[in-house]
Amino acid sequence: MKSLKAVVREVAAQLVISRDYSMPLCMRLRYEPNDPYVVRAAFFIHGDESVEWVLGRDLLIDGLKVSAGEGDIRVWPAVGCGDEAMYITLGSSGGIALLEVPVQDIRSFLENTETLVPRGAESGRIDWDAELTFLLSQG
């Protein structure tokens, strides 16, 4: 199977603390064609330490236009901000984080991922034999 480069994009985002206060953070998005359904998002507030979340690529694509997701991860376009921002909530046992991100950065990143692996063609990128071998070895 042909190896393709990863798509990586750093995005300046805001961690929303309250209606009047937010804190800047860097969000690094990474898409690997050999894991075509997911986007890895690493969040950096200070220095090199990060927190990583795995997001569904379809979830991000859908969240550009409508509210998408349920449970720990939800994404939706910002109402009243034109086409400038979108929100992402990440929930865990430690609490919930609300992020405001520039929609154009996310859209551009997702367009680059779709150049590598078009939406709907993800299953053709998975090495099913290798996945099955891995799963059986865990048993």
Side-chain angles (χ1 to χ4, degrees), residues 87-102:
Y87 290 107
I88 300 172
T89 60
L90 305 171
S92 72
S93 60
I96 297 174
L98 173 60
L99 306 168
E100 183 177 318
V101 297

Side-chain angles (χ1 to χ4, degrees), residues 11-14 16 27 29 55-68 74-79 81-89 98-108 110:
V11 177
Q14 295 290 320
V16 178
M27 180 168 105
L29 301 172
L55 311 173
R57 182 173 73 156
D58 283 347
L59 177 71
L60 288 174
I61 292 170
D62 293 345
L64 291 171
K65 299 220 183 298
V66 298
S67 181
R74 292 185 320 131
V75 182
W76 68 96
V79 177
C81 294
D83 198 23
E84 296 178 17
M86 67 186 296
Y87 290 107
I88 300 172
T89 60
L98 173 60
L99 306 168
E100 183 177 318
V101 297
V103 75
Q104 189 51 46
D105 290 344
I106 303 298
R107 182 176 287 117
S108 173
L110 291 169

Side-chain angles (χ1 to χ4, degrees), residues 25-28 41-45 49-53 90 99:
L25 61 88
C26 178
M27 180 168 105
R28 181 179 303 139
F43 301 95
F44 300 84
I45 294 179
E49 289 188 41
S50 68
V51 175
E52 185 174 286
W53 282 72
L90 305 171
L99 306 168

Side-chain angles (χ1 to χ4, degrees), residues 16-29:
V16 178
I17 307 298
S18 71
R19 181 176 290 250
D20 300 318
Y21 180 71
S22 61
M23 181 178 1
L25 61 88
C26 178
M27 180 168 105
R28 181 179 303 139
L29 301 172

